[in-house]
Amino acid sequence: MNALKQLFKGHDSPANTAKQRLRVVLIHDRTEIPAGMLELIKDDVISVISRRVPIDRANVTVHVDNAGNENRLLVDIPLLAGDNRRGASRTSIPRQRSS
Amino acid sequence: MQSVVVTVTSGKGGVGKTTCSANIGCALALLQKKVVVIDGDIGLRNLDIVMGLENRIVYDSVDYIEGRCRLRQALIRDKRAPDLYVMPTAQTRDKTAVSAEQMVAMCDELRKDYEYIIIDSPAGIEQGFHTCLAPADRVLIVTNPEVSSVRDADRVIGLVEAQEKGPAQILINRLMAARVKKQEMLSMDDIVDVLSTELIGAVPEDEAILMSTNRGTPVALNGRGPAATAFHEIALRLTGEEVPLRVQQPVSIFHRLFGKA
């Protein structure tokens, strides 16, 4: 019964929302990297990488992950396939929304 | 005498540090331990009123530290338990009245006669907190199951570690089992998980606390009710006994109507 409840509302329960928000805010508190700073880093990464290779700007993610006592900055940059490569269906690079 | 200084603190104010300090002190004293509870919040004297001893203050810790009285004169004997004493603080002074060194020296004197010295510390990161942290052998950080106090608890856990007084333990206060069950409130496991810190116990929300504070009789002295039971279990854990962690269930209506003495 509880598992069923979990299935329907588990991840959106107020307790879970509180827990997830706490996780994120504690990572920023502990690393002293405010969340807004990550947005700036993301913009920097996009401009540097996109000068060399086509990337899917809209889906770039930057976040701090902590495993045990170690914190690391994780940057995920989806590449766009080039014209001569397989899967080259997209021809234009989606424009990054300004934030 | 083998003695332990336990500093009770928190990140956020108003989470129940004084209630927890008073009740843990009472519960330890009822276990036949020699206990003194120190009000560490200079200028905001409160432990005395929570424990119902406000009319018995003659001297306080600042009087002792500044040489106006002997140690025994500053201690109030609580006759409701075999060996329980309270050290009130000055109401008209500020946090700078006692230095960390003076607090350590006072606790060293108390260590000669008492097994447990509980310090009710001010919250957060101000000077009064560092004064109360200095003599600590163990640190309990009180938090409510609510995002702002958990976040601030994390900050204090870090400070305790930085002062090499860690690892601190968390004490969750005012937990509501029914709301945890409905997933409306952070659970014991959620908080332990997010803070990656060991738990000393969880005290349930209990109507009896307000009544006991009104009267000046800590719930742990009378022994019944979910919060009182939780405080007794925490006291046992402090003495090194293994007591399984659990959430005390609120008393049923039936019990409330017919179970009272």
Side-chain angles (χ1 to χ4, degrees):
Chain A
M1 187 59 205
N2 251 348
L4 207 65
K5 258 188 191 163
Q6 187 87 23
L7 201 66
F8 284 112
K9 67 172 203 179
H11 284 283
D12 295 313
S13 73
N16 217 333
T17 306
K19 189 177 179 184
Q20 295 315 321
R21 291 181 58 225
L22 264 172
R23 272 189 200 287
V24 172
V25 85
L26 288 185
I27 284 173
H28 292 296
D29 287 355
R30 287 169 185 169
T31 56
E32 295 177 48
I33 303 172
M37 175 92 72
L38 292 186
E39 283 303 306
L40 299 180
I41 292 171
K42 187 162 111 179
D43 291 345
D44 292 347
V45 165
I46 288 172
S47 76
V48 169
I49 305 296
S50 63
R51 240 186 283 148
R52 305 288 180 194
V53 287
I55 59 174
D56 179 359
R57 291 165 176 248
N59 290 310
V60 171
T61 61
V62 176
H63 70 275
V64 180
D65 186 70
N66 90 318
N69 283 330
E70 212 176 45
N71 292 303
R72 46 187 68 215
L73 190 66
L74 294 182
V75 182
D76 183 39
I77 310 168
L79 293 172
L80 288 178
D83 291 342
N84 295 325
R85 275 169 271 167
R86 290 180 66 174
S89 54
R90 278 189 259 192
T91 49
S92 66
I93 297 163
R95 285 192 75 84
Q96 166 75 1
R97 276 182 304 158
S98 59
S99 50
Chain B
M1 182 172 290
Q2 183 72 27
S3 80
V4 187
V5 176
V6 183
T7 294
V8 179
T9 189
S10 71
K12 189 173 171 292
V15 295
K17 285 179 299 297
T18 302
T19 303
C20 291
S21 305
N23 280 289
I24 291 170
C26 291
L28 282 166
L30 292 178
L31 291 170
Q32 313 297 317
K33 304 292 180 189
K34 291 169 175 264
V35 180
V36 56
V37 189
I38 301 176
D39 191 338
D41 203 350
I42 304 163
L44 295 168
R45 181 193 278 173
N46 264 330
L47 182 66
D48 57 332
I49 196 162
V50 167
M51 295 189 71
L53 302 169
E54 69 275 17
N55 294 326
R56 297 190 42 210
I57 298 179
V58 181
Y59 296 109
D60 58 51
S61 57
V62 179
D63 289 323
Y64 165 69
I65 283 163
E66 294 180 350
R68 286 185 292 276
C69 70
R70 284 174 288 113
L71 188 61
R72 293 298 291 211
Q73 291 177 295
L75 292 169
I76 303 170
R77 160 119 207 263
D78 189 331
K79 300 179 188 109
R80 297 167 294 188
D83 240 322
L84 177 61
Y85 291 81
V86 171
M87 167 81 83
T89 188
Q91 177 69 321
T92 53
R93 301 291 292 274
D94 64 43
K95 314 277 181 208
T96 59
V98 178
S99 69
E101 292 74 24
Q102 288 169 325
M103 190 61 129
V104 170
M106 185 171 82
C107 287
D108 285 345
E109 273 307 304
L110 290 167
R111 279 178 199 269
K112 293 174 186 167
D113 295 314
Y114 299 94
E115 295 166 277
Y116 288 90
I117 300 157
I118 313 290
I119 305 179
D120 179 23
S121 161
I125 56 179
E126 41 186 330
Q127 194 205 329
F129 162 70
H130 286 282
T131 305
C132 292
L133 186 61
D137 299 313
R138 293 181 77 156
V139 182
L140 307 186
I141 295 171
V142 182
T143 183
N144 296 148
E146 159 280 322
V147 292
S148 61
S149 74
V150 174
R151 181 193 198 172
D152 294 351
D154 189 71
R155 177 104 165 82
V156 173
I157 290 167
L159 289 169
V160 171
E161 268 168 30
Q163 298 290 314
E164 293 177 350
K165 293 288 184 181
Q169 288 174 297
I170 329 164
L171 196 170
I172 302 171
N173 192 27
R174 311 191 70 167
L175 192 68
M176 297 173 172
R179 301 197 73 176
V180 169
K181 202 174 168 197
K182 282 197 268 175
Q183 299 189 35
E184 291 176 359
M185 183 179 258
L186 289 164
S187 69
M188 222 160 59
D189 290 343
D190 286 339
I191 295 169
V192 169
D193 194 16
V194 164
L195 294 176
S196 340
T197 301
E198 203 188 304
L199 191 69
I200 187 89
V203 178
E205 174 78 38
D206 187 341
E207 289 175 9
I209 294 286
L210 178 63
M211 317 271 261
S212 82
T213 309
N214 291 344
R215 282 198 307 266
T217 312
V219 289
L221 282 177
N222 295 334
R224 262 193 293 254
T229 309
F231 284 123
H232 283 286
E233 290 183 356
I234 289 168
L236 280 170
R237 287 186 198 109
L238 280 172
T239 67
E241 251 186 70
E242 299 255 341
V243 184
L245 283 166
R246 58 188 173 135
V247 183
Q248 296 294 327
Q249 294 300 321
V251 183
S252 71
I253 288 174
F254 178 83
H255 205 91
R256 213 176 277 161
L257 288 176
F258 303 106
K260 264 189 196 149

